[in-house]
Amino acid sequence: MKILLLGSGAREHAIAQKIAESKKISKLIVSPGNVGISQIAECVNISSDNEAIKQYIIENNVDMLVVGNEQPLADGIADCLFEDERTRNLMVIGPKQKGAALESSKDFAKDFMIRHNIPTARYKSFGKDELNQAIDFLKTLSAPYVLKADGLAAGKGVVISETLEQAEEELKEMLANAKFGKASEKVVIEEFLKGIECSVFVLTDGKHYCVLPEAKDYKRIGEGDTGLNTGGMGSVSPVNFASKEFLEKVENKIIKPTIEGLQKDAIEYKGFIFIGLMNVEGEPYVIEYNVRMGDPETESVFPRIESDIVEAFELVAKGRLNEYELKVTEKVCTTVFLVSKGYPEDYQKGKVMTGFERVVDCNLFHAGTKAGEGSQILTSGGRVIAISCFGSTMQEALGKCYENIEKIDFEGKTFRRDIGKDLMNLEA
Ligand code: AMP
Ligand code: GLY
């Protein structure tokens, strides 16, 4: 089978690695991919335009498309392929636009949750012309205030304000001054949920589903979860507070109603559903849906999958995912990201990276790297590379990550030393 994977980050590197291990694959092509992915797959540069992707698929006899990131799904790549009889039967892992709205419109996602009785924070949405009503609603809530741009805003669309004044100011920026462009023409204001977060991943054919290992990500740049939000500084899987009992609640109160809700709303859905959860005193609440895997969670989740992922994808396409037997290692996998100094604000690129040959017993998933002269690898982004290791305990896995981090070097190398630390405190 010939597979095309779309994306260029460490998440796609981890997905590509799992696909490349499959017995069912004859060729893996990744667009645009990156220097790490090019070691295990052919990287090509297809324009992000739906028609260009479709043309490539036709000309190259691709059998399956796996979409790593949300943008092509929000742009309707799955619809475009379905509407053309030449690609109608292509296997596509990723929903059509209607399903992708679970991520591309927070208002749609909240409405979906309420309609299907899925636990989530109380909320109201407001359009550009409703600033005064929005401010009145804010006044009925208590601090901190959670404001969310309705549309896709590159992970930056959620703002949490500590005071009413800040929240009002932020609301004006979003609604009246288009802080996030079109994405903030509508804003969701919701109740703040106090608890600890966890990411749950589901693969579904729209009827049957398979729950993948859960994970926790670390979003802030600074240790102790301080400072600016990033694309993710690390992750761990499994998550110790996600007990069997908690995960059963997640399945019964969230996953089942979500899949049934999609069916009731006549939304055909084949792909991943990433459920961002808050554990509030043992009860799960949905913070957000995403229609793809998480980054950097995938870098800890995918290495744990032992069964053939391409077989799962094939069964998704055929609507027979119930026949899949997911096998997951009990080992813990942890990921620590190396980032450029200054990230997520200004940072320098083009720094020479050394020490790759010295790492042991670990996966290196590339994100912001590029080929330099000869065999040299240079930094080319804020999040540079993910170091992912196994252990029989989280401590052991993290120990290996940090040992390997010592071996890789580049000017300005920055990382968090406290990945997983909050969970160790929980265990104590
Ligand atoms: P999102 O972009 O939807 O992932 O939201 C970014 C982050 O904001 C989440 O990971 C949470 O840490 C936080 N967040 C979002 N909604 C809430 C909420 N209702 N209560 C508390 N924290 C939230
Ligand atoms: N780790 C959060 C995300 O992928 O959106």
Side-chain angles (χ1 to χ4, degrees):
M1 188 186 311
K2 215 168 176 183
I3 300 186
L4 172 64
L5 167 67
L6 299 183
S8 65
R11 166 182 54 204
E12 285 75 23
H13 194 175
I15 296 174
Q17 178 168 298
K18 200 44 66 185
I19 291 176
E21 283 172 11
S22 168
K23 287 198 199 75
K24 293 180 166 269
I25 180 149
S26 57
K27 186 163 189 184
L28 172 61
I29 306 157
V30 186
S31 176
N34 62 38
V35 60
I37 296 175
S38 71
Q39 291 162 8
I40 55 169
E42 180 186 333
C43 291
V44 295
N45 222 326
I46 313 171
S47 131
S48 57
D49 177 63
N50 285 344
E51 287 300 321
I53 296 168
K54 183 171 82 186
Q55 214 48 46
Y56 183 92
I57 287 170
I58 295 169
E59 281 165 17
N60 293 276
N61 296 313
V62 170
D63 302 295
M64 178 186 284
L65 174 71
V66 181
V67 185
N69 54 329
E70 63 278 12
Q71 195 66 52
L73 299 168
D75 292 343
I77 182 66
D79 309 70
C80 167
L81 294 166
F82 186 74
E83 281 152 19
D84 190 321
E85 61 185 34
R86 293 171 298 173
T87 44
R88 173 154 304 172
N89 294 322
L90 180 85
M91 295 183 262
V92 181
I93 303 304
K96 296 195 184 118
Q97 229 167 8
K98 228 167 134 188
L102 281 183
E103 175 166 1
S104 64
S105 167
K106 296 212 184 271
D107 179 46
F108 173 83
K110 293 294 289 190
D111 192 50
F112 177 91
M113 291 179 236
I114 301 295
R115 200 162 58 243
H116 300 296
N117 266 319
I118 296 166
T120 189
R122 201 162 63 88
Y123 84 110
K124 261 193 175 159
S125 301
F126 299 92
K128 264 200 304 206
D129 307 324
E130 298 172 306
L131 185 60
N132 291 336
Q133 292 95 311
I135 291 176
D136 287 343
F137 181 66
L138 265 185
K139 288 179 182 158
T140 68
L141 302 175
S142 48
Y145 302 90
V146 184
L147 306 182
K148 301 186 174 185
D150 174 55
L152 293 181
K156 299 195 173 68
V158 176
V159 180
I160 299 181
S161 304
E162 293 301 327
T163 67
L164 185 60
E165 291 70 36
Q166 281 169 3
E168 281 185 29
E169 210 41 53
E170 192 57 48
L171 192 57
K172 281 181 200 150
E173 281 299 309
M174 283 173 139
L175 277 180
N177 298 336
K179 179 175 178 185
F180 299 109
K182 260 190 97 56
S184 62
E185 280 181 359
K186 204 188 258 181
V187 171
V188 166
I189 302 179
E190 71 179 30
E191 191 182 30
F192 182 84
L193 295 173
K194 198 164 161 32
I196 182 158
E197 277 180 69
C198 166
S199 306
V200 169
F201 303 96
V202 178
L203 181 63
T204 180
D205 59 16
K207 193 168 166 204
H208 315 100
Y209 62 86
C210 175
V211 185
L212 304 177
E214 78 286 353
K216 182 173 195 304
D217 73 340
Y218 292 82
K219 293 186 171 69
R220 304 290 193 97
I221 186 71
E223 288 170 13
D225 282 324
T226 53
L228 293 173
N229 257 327
T230 71
M233 298 296 289
S235 63
V236 305
S237 175
V239 179
N240 58 2
F241 68 76
S243 60
K244 195 163 169 266
E245 189 194 354
F246 179 75
L247 291 174
E248 267 169 21
K249 283 186 193 167
V250 172
E251 185 156 2
N252 291 324
K253 297 185 179 183
I254 293 167
I255 298 175
K256 281 184 186 154
T258 299
I259 305 291
E260 283 162 14
L262 289 169
Q263 288 177 318
K264 281 182 200 153
D265 292 354
I267 299 174
E268 258 183 62
Y269 196 110
K270 290 180 191 295
F272 293 105
I273 307 179
F274 159 174
I275 308 173
L277 293 174
M278 189 71 88
N279 176 344
V280 184
E281 290 167 9
E283 287 299 317
Y285 287 81
V286 180
I287 289 185
E288 61 167 347
Y289 287 118
N290 294 305
V291 299
R292 39 133 185 118
M293 286 296 297
D295 193 351
E297 290 97 326
T298 305
E299 293 90 306
S300 294
V301 168
F302 261 52
R304 294 187 62 215
I305 299 176
E306 293 179 323
S307 39
D308 190 327
I309 198 71
V310 176
E311 189 187 333
F313 291 163
E314 210 177 0
L315 289 167
V316 164
K318 291 179 177 159
R320 299 193 342 236
L321 188 59
N322 52 320
E323 292 172 25
Y324 186 61
E325 207 180 310
L326 175 74
K327 283 210 191 90
V328 172
T329 176
E330 282 182 6
K331 280 191 248 169
V332 178
C333 189
T334 60
T335 298
V336 181
F337 240 102
L338 298 186
V339 307
S340 299
K341 186 172 175 220
Y343 172 78
E345 296 183 284
D346 286 347
Y347 56 85
Q348 291 180 342
K349 297 180 188 175
K351 304 295 180 194
V352 178
M353 300 180 72
T354 57
F356 284 82
E357 68 293 346
R358 294 177 55 217
V359 302
V360 228
D361 204 10
C362 118
N363 279 307
L364 296 179
F365 295 124
H366 289 238
T369 59
K370 68 172 184 196
E373 277 178 29
S375 58
Q376 238 178 22
I377 292 181
L378 309 177
T379 66
S380 70
R383 290 200 313 148
V384 176
I385 200 163
I387 318 280
S388 171
C389 297
F390 278 119
S392 48
T393 61
M394 186 173 66
Q395 285 82 343
E396 191 184 310
L398 285 166
K400 279 198 219 165
C401 284
Y402 289 114
E403 269 170 37
N404 281 306
I405 281 176
E406 290 304 314
K407 296 175 184 164
I408 294 193
D409 212 10
F410 59 90
E411 191 189 318
K413 177 177 91 175
T414 303
F415 58 96
R416 270 180 65 169
R417 291 170 198 274
D418 68 336
I419 301 302
K421 213 168 170 183
D422 53 340
L423 301 179
M424 292 177 204
N425 295 341
L426 275 188
E427 260 175 345

